[in-house]
Amino acid sequence: MAFVPPDLSVNISSLTLKNPIMTASGTFGYGQEYASFVDLDKLGAIIVKGISLEPRSGNPYPRIAETTGGMLNSVGLENIGADRFISEKLPYLVDSGACVIVNLIGNTVEEYCELAQKLDKTSGIKGLELNISCPNVKEGGIFFGIEATSAFQVVGSTRRSTKLPLIVKLSPNVTDITVIARSVQEAGADAISLINTITGMAIDIETRTPKLANITGGLSGPAIKPIALRMVWEVSRVVEIPVIGVGGIMNAEDALEFIIAGASAIQVGTANFVNPKATIDILLGIEKYLTDKNINDIKTLIGTLKI
Amino acid sequence: MYQVLSKVLFNNELSPVYYRMSLNCPEIASEAYPGQFLMARVSKQLDPLLRRPFAIHSVKNATAKEIKMDTSSCVEILYKVVGKGTKVMSLMREGDEMDIIGPIGNGYRLDRNIQTAILIGGGIGVASLFYLAETIITKGSKAKKVVFLLGGKTKDDILCIEDFKRIGVEVRVATEDGSLGCKGVVTDLLSDYFGSGDYTPGSSPYCFACGPEDMLKEVSKVIVEKELPCQISLESKMACGVGACMVCGVETKPQLGDLRKGTVLKSAKQKDEMGYKRVCKDGPVFDCNEIIWE
Ligand SMILES: Cc1cc2nc3c(=O)[nH]c(=O)nc-3n(C[C@H](O)[C@H](O)[C@H](O)COP(=O)(O)OP(=O)(O)OC[C@H]3O[C@@H](n4cnc5c(N)ncnc54)[C@H](O)[C@@H]3O)c2cc1C
Ligand SMILES: Cc1cc2nc3c(=O)[nH]c(=O)nc-3n(C[C@H](O)[C@H](O)[C@H](O)COP(=O)(O)O)c2cc1C
Ligand code: FES
C-alpha cells in the first residue's frame, strides 16, 4: 500500500492550519528575519511581534539575562506600530504565503478595539491574538489578564470589533488560570493560548544590581515548560474552545507532550533563538512520531492523556 | 545568512584566557566582510542555552586548487574566556563540531580610496580589527598607511601585534600598568598621534574602533572634536542575533535630515522617532556620531 503521510491539519475555531506549529509572538520578529532558515509557508501560522496603535520604544537596556535553562527579557512593548506594520511588514509575509496572525497590545479597552477594527479591515491577516498581559492604565496599572472581570471586558469589547478568529493569550502570573480562561471563553474568545512569560529576576552579585535595567522580566525557555504544560492541561479540561500550548517547547517531544495534554496547536518561542530551524525540526519530528505510531490524523492525538 | 555545523580545525590557546579558533564553513567564509560576526551555539545540550556572538577575526578562502584537494575555507575567531559559554568553547578540540550562524550584521563600510586608516582597539576588540586591517591592505588603493593603536590593562591583554606587523601595519601599544608599550590608555595614543608630525590636519584619515563601551565613548569624543569620520563596533547582549527579538539595542540620534534643525526631542513620540537600533541587525558597526552615549 502506498505511504500516506499523516494529516497534520488542525482547527482553531474557523481557522484551519496546515499543521499545529506556530511561532510565538516576539520571538520570530515579523517573519522575514527568519526567512533564510525557514520557508514561512511551511508553518501552521506566524504570530508576529505584539503591535500597538502607536509605535513604542520599550524598556531600557540591558533587556536580557540568561538563566539556567531559560532567559529573562524585559523588551516591553517595543514595536513599529500598526500603520508601519501594515505598510512595511505585512506585504512580505502575505507574499511568502504564510498564515499571518497578529498579536495585539493596548493600554486601554478602547485601544484594543480600535486596533482590532483597523486590522479587521486589512486583507492578508488570518487571525488576532490578544495579549492581555499589558497594564490597564485606566484602572491604575493592573493587568487585564490577571483579573477575570477586566479580562472579560477587554475580550468582549474586542470580540465585537472584529470578525477575525480571536485567540486570547493568558498570563501565567495568576493564582488560578482556569478562572481567567473561563471568563475569556464566556466573553467570546475563539481560542486560548498559554502561557506568556513568568515574571522573574536575576542579580549581579559583584555590583549588587539587577541584571535587567527594568529589574524584573519575563522568564521563557525550557525552564518554564513543566508549568506551561500543567496550565495547558488544567485549562483544556475546563474550556470547550481550542487551547494553544506555549512555553519552553524546544523539540518535537516537548510539542507532543502539549498536544497530548490537550493543546490543539503549539507555539515555538525561545527555541528559535537557539536553533533558527526549530519550527521545521519540530514539524518533521511530529510527522515521524505519527508515522511510527500509525496515527493518521493528529487531531486524534489531542487531549489523549491517560490518567 | 547560513546555519552551519562547522568543524573545529584548531583551537589554540594564545595565553591562559585567550584562544584562537578556526572553523570550517565555506558558505560563511565566502560572503563575510570585516565587522560582521557569528552566533555560536556552544553546546548541543540546552545549557548554556543562548548562542554567543563572536566577531570574524580572519577569513581564509581556499583557492580553486585547494578546494579540489579538500583544504576548505574557514573563518577564525579570537575569544576571551569570561564565563560559562566561552569556557565550554575553550575545551573544544580539532574535529569537534560547533553550530554557527553567519555572517551577521552590517560591518565596517570601506571606502576604496582610503589613504590612511587609524584602527583603535581595546582588549579583545582586536578580533574584528585584524580582518579589517587585512582587507584594507589587500584591497583598494596602493599608497596607504594603516596605524593600529591598541590598549589593554596589562601586557597579557595585548594580542596579535606580530600578526598586524606581519601584514604591514604600524602598531602602537599602551597598557594601564605600563607592562608593554607606553603607560596609559588608548586615547592617550590617539591624542599623541594627532599631536605628532604623523598627522597633518586636513589629511582626513579614516578611524575605526572596537573595544569596551567606555573606551569607544572616549575615543568618539576625541575624534568628533577633530571632525573625522569614525566607525565603531558595539557589543550588546543578544538572543536571536537576526533582528527578531529586540533585546540588543542602542539609543541613536535621528538621521540627518529627519528633523528640522533645532528641534528639541521631548515627547515620547519624538523619542520613538529617534529610535533604538538593533546592534545585531542595524550594527554592530555604527557611525560614532549616531550614538547617544549615556
Ligand atoms: C557583535 C559582538 C562581537 C563580539 N566579538 C567577540 C570576540 O570576537 N571575541 C570575544 O572574546 N568576545 C566577543 N564578544 C563578546 C562575547 O560575545 C561574550 O564574551 C560572550 O558571549 C560571553 O559568553 P560566556 O558564556 O562566556 O559569558 P557569560 O557571562 O556566562 O554569559 C552570559 C550571557 O551574557 C552574554 N554576554 C556576556 N558578555 C557579553 C559581551 N561582552 N557582549 C555580549 N554578550 C555578552 C552571553 O552571550 C550570555 O548570553 C562579542 C560580542 C558582540 C555583541
Ligand atoms: C524576547 C521575547 C519577546 C516577547 N514578546 C512578546 C509579545 O510581544 N507578545 C506576546 O504575547 N508574547 C511575547 N513573548 C512571549 C512569548 O510569545 C512566549 O509566550 C514565551 O516566551 C514562552 O514561550 P517560550 O518558552 O517557547 O519562549 C515574548 C518572549 C520573548 C522571549
Ligand atoms: S539579538 Fe535579537 S534583535 Fe538583536
Side-chain angles (χ1 to χ4, degrees), chain B residues 238-248 278 280:
Chain B
M238 295 182 177
C240 71
V242 299
C245 73
M246 315 305 276
V247 306
C248 67
R278 294 160 300 182
C280 70

Side-chain angles (χ1 to χ4, degrees), chain A residues 134-158:
Chain A
C134 302
N136 173 345
V137 174
K138 278 200 181 152
E139 289 193 5
I142 75 145
F143 293 89
F144 286 115
I146 62 172
E147 206 267 304
T149 327
S150 53
F152 182 87
Q153 203 197 350
V154 68
V155 175
S157 302
T158 313

Side-chain angles (χ1 to χ4, degrees), chain A residues 223-242:
Chain A
I224 72 169
K225 196 194 89 181
I227 300 172
L229 191 60
R230 184 263 296 177
M231 290 188 161
V232 163
W233 177 68
E234 282 178 348
V235 167
S236 66
R237 294 194 329 158
V238 300
V239 297
E240 268 97 64
I241 54 180

Side-chain angles (χ1 to χ4, degrees), chain B residues 1 12 28 55 63 67 87 133 149 174 180 226 240 248 253 256 281 290 294:
Chain B
M1 208 184 298
N12 297 338
I28 298 177
T63 59
I67 289 171
K87 176 78 196 156
L149 312 178
L180 193 72
K226 294 270 170 212
C240 71
C248 67
K253 295 174 199 163
L256 289 173
K281 180 108 181 178
E290 246 180 296
E294 249 122 73

Side-chain angles (χ1 to χ4, degrees), chain A residues 10-17 20 22 45 47 101-103 126-132 151 154-156 158-159 162-171 177 180-195 232 235-236 238-246 262-267 302:
Chain A
V10 295
N11 303 315
I12 303 298
S13 172
S14 59
L15 185 64
T16 300
L17 306 182
M22 305 177 167
I47 304 189
I101 296 179
V102 179
N103 182 276
K126 294 282 164 52
L128 302 180
E129 180 180 59
L130 213 60
N131 177 1
I132 55 170
V154 68
V155 175
T158 313
R159 169 72 295 169
T162 176
K163 292 201 175 55
L164 288 169
L166 185 65
I167 303 166
V168 178
K169 185 167 180 181
L170 302 188
S171 163
I177 199 158
I180 313 274
R182 280 207 194 89
S183 76
V184 156
Q185 170 175 263
E186 210 178 307
D190 293 311
I192 288 173
S193 55
L194 71 161
I195 60 175
V232 163
V235 167
S236 66
V238 300
V239 297
E240 268 97 64
I241 54 180
V243 171
I244 302 165
V246 202
S264 298
I266 58 100
Q267 296 178 9
I302 298 168

